[in-house]
Amino acid sequence: MTPGTGAVRVVHGAAATLTCAGLAWTLWAGLEQPGYALAFGALIVVGELARWGAGPGEREPAPIGAAGALAYALLGECAGRDTSHGVLQVVAVVVAAALVGAVLHVARGRGPALDHVARRVLTVGFAAVCFQPLYNSGELERRLGQGPYYALFLLVLLLLTALCDAVLAAAMLRARTGFPYGPLLRDELRAILGIGSAVCATGAVMALAVAVAGLWALPVFCVPLLLTQLSFRRYAAVRTTYRQTIASLARATEIAGYTRPGHARRVASLSTAVGRELGLTGGDLTVLEYAALMHDIGQLSLVDPVPDGATTLLPVPEQRRIALLGGAVVRQTGVPSAVAVVVERQADPYREQPLPARIVRAVNAYDDLTGGSGRSAGGALGALERLRLGTGQDYQPEVVESLARVLARGGLAPAPPG
């Protein structure tokens, strides 16, 4: 068990407590203004159904549902009439609608992740707690009126809600993976600039539009977000296809018998984990992953394959020749030039390498030394010891120690071949 999973339990427990309180209060006191609740609940259900096709790990797989939940949390009027629902009813409606919308996905074995559900409950609860008491008491209208300051207040509140979600997401990832919190938080904050900003803007606009035009504004203002969601899905599909193409190209060395089955995939997976451990994020991680997948492509130029593809055991001049040939091949594939730089500088002294090249070199050596089989912890420990002995010239000490920490968290056995 990861040491930080206690933090995950705290988040899940807080979300479960808030959910139980909301459902219990709503069942006991009854549903205030059921027409409004039904309209926003239906929107959230549609948003959850539109989750269809969401990729694993997608930060906001149901943006329409998220925007609808935020709009209901920030709803103070509908067509000029004051609303009377409170914080606990907001939570109850959002949870009930999300459960209804998730039934089909659960039946197909693709239900929403528990972490995502907990974050949704807590962030919507946060927005409702910050807005509903102020509005229902009349304090918000007395201080800000209904003009631009009111709209600005909603936008600021939504930004704080997005920040709350990013903090929770990074904390839960930190607890589950053990990676440094700062880079994880930067990744989450960067994601707000994507679909997250569209969700926040749509939530604020829907709340303002319903206050003036009534519930008919809901379907109208969902259309732009729906189009944005489709655009993000297409972009994600293109990136997935691009990565699959690179992975297929990387397998050429395995198919030709130059490297062991699964070597490129294992090196890419472990390199990415080490990169996160060392604080790499965003585009830097993508460059690292692509370079790790293609790091052995230069072996295709060899007349006779290296035994088991273990270039670590070759003389340094031969390693450099293979690395330079690999970089030349990579430059012809259309990937960013930074990937080619990492590939062609693998065999340089580590002090002259960029950080991604240092990571790939160490991880590749580890997989070569263990044979990719991980038959025993002793073999893995022995490989790490050899890497530590080479830190004077070949491997950066910080990279080797980060690799050791990643292996310790996930077990000393490498990923299985294939």
Side-chain angles (χ1 to χ4, degrees), residues 32-408:
E32 292 285 341
Q33 297 173 320
Y36 301 163
L38 181 62
F40 279 92
L43 177 63
I44 297 169
V45 169
V46 170
E48 290 296 324
L49 292 175
R51 177 193 296 269
W52 192 274
E58 192 172 342
R59 282 183 171 83
E60 184 44 76
I64 294 176
L70 288 174
Y72 189 53
L74 302 180
L75 185 66
E77 292 183 21
C78 182
R81 295 178 53 193
D82 286 338
T83 59
S84 55
H85 63 273
V87 174
L88 294 179
Q89 179 169 314
V90 169
V91 173
V93 169
V94 168
V95 170
L99 290 176
V100 172
V103 168
L104 182 59
H105 301 298
V106 172
R108 292 178 174 269
R110 297 186 294 187
L114 186 58
D115 287 359
H116 178 79
V117 174
R119 283 166 44 205
R120 172 73 65 82
V121 170
L122 292 178
T123 52
V124 169
F126 172 82
V129 165
C130 292
F131 177 82
Q132 291 294 331
L134 283 175
Y135 188 89
N136 292 335
S137 67
E139 190 67 23
L140 193 59
E141 186 172 1
R142 282 195 298 272
R143 291 182 178 274
L144 301 179
Q146 293 292 333
Y149 291 112
Y150 178 76
L152 181 62
F153 171 78
L154 291 185
L155 286 174
V156 170
L157 181 53
L158 282 170
L159 288 176
L160 291 175
T161 303
L163 179 60
C164 172
D165 183 60
V167 169
L168 284 175
M172 297 177 83
L173 281 173
R174 171 72 176 90
R176 291 196 180 281
T177 65
F179 294 139
Y181 181 76
L184 292 175
L185 181 59
R186 286 198 298 271
D187 263 353
E188 295 297 330
L189 292 175
R190 190 180 293 114
I192 294 176
L193 301 177
I195 193 69
S197 61
V199 169
C200 289
T202 303
V205 168
M206 281 198 297
L208 293 171
V210 169
V212 176
L215 296 176
W216 289 106
L218 289 179
V220 173
F221 286 94
C222 278
V223 173
L225 184 57
L226 178 60
L227 296 176
T228 302
Q229 181 181 5
L230 293 175
S231 298
F232 268 89
R233 290 285 169 80
R234 288 180 180 176
Y235 174 70
V238 169
R239 289 195 61 181
T240 300
T241 303
Y242 186 55
R243 185 189 179 281
Q244 289 171 346
T245 302
I246 292 176
S248 298
L249 181 60
R251 288 194 63 213
T253 56
E254 301 173 19
I255 296 171
Y258 283 87
T259 58
R260 294 182 307 275
H263 172 71
R265 183 181 62 82
R266 289 192 301 272
V267 172
S269 176
L270 194 50
S271 293
T272 303
V274 174
R276 285 190 176 277
E277 179 76 16
L278 289 169
L280 295 184
T281 61
D284 292 334
L285 274 178
T286 301
V287 168
L288 174 61
E289 181 188 18
Y290 290 173
L293 283 170
M294 304 179 75
H295 74 280
D296 271 331
I297 202 76
Q299 292 198 44
L300 294 175
S301 64
L302 301 178
V303 176
D304 297 317
V306 178
D308 293 326
T311 55
T312 300
L313 306 178
L314 292 176
V316 173
E318 185 65 8
Q319 292 183 38
R320 286 179 178 166
R321 188 179 76 84
I322 294 173
L324 289 172
L325 289 170
V329 173
V330 171
R331 290 183 188 279
Q332 303 303 314
T333 64
V335 299
S337 60
V339 177
V341 170
V342 174
V343 172
E344 65 192 11
R345 298 188 63 183
Q346 287 179 80
D348 294 350
Y350 79 80
R351 293 177 179 85
E352 301 174 13
Q353 293 176 316
L355 179 57
R358 299 176 186 181
I359 294 171
V360 173
R361 182 173 188 178
V363 173
N364 176 58
Y366 171 80
D367 196 74
D368 283 347
L369 292 170
T370 59
S373 61
R375 292 187 183 91
S376 68
L381 290 172
L384 285 173
E385 188 60 29
R386 288 189 63 175
L387 294 183
R388 289 187 174 107
L389 292 174
T391 53
Q393 173 73 14
D394 298 326
Y395 311 110
Q396 183 180 14
E398 292 81 1
V399 171
V400 175
E401 295 311 313
S402 294
L403 173 60
R405 289 194 296 271
V406 169
L407 291 169

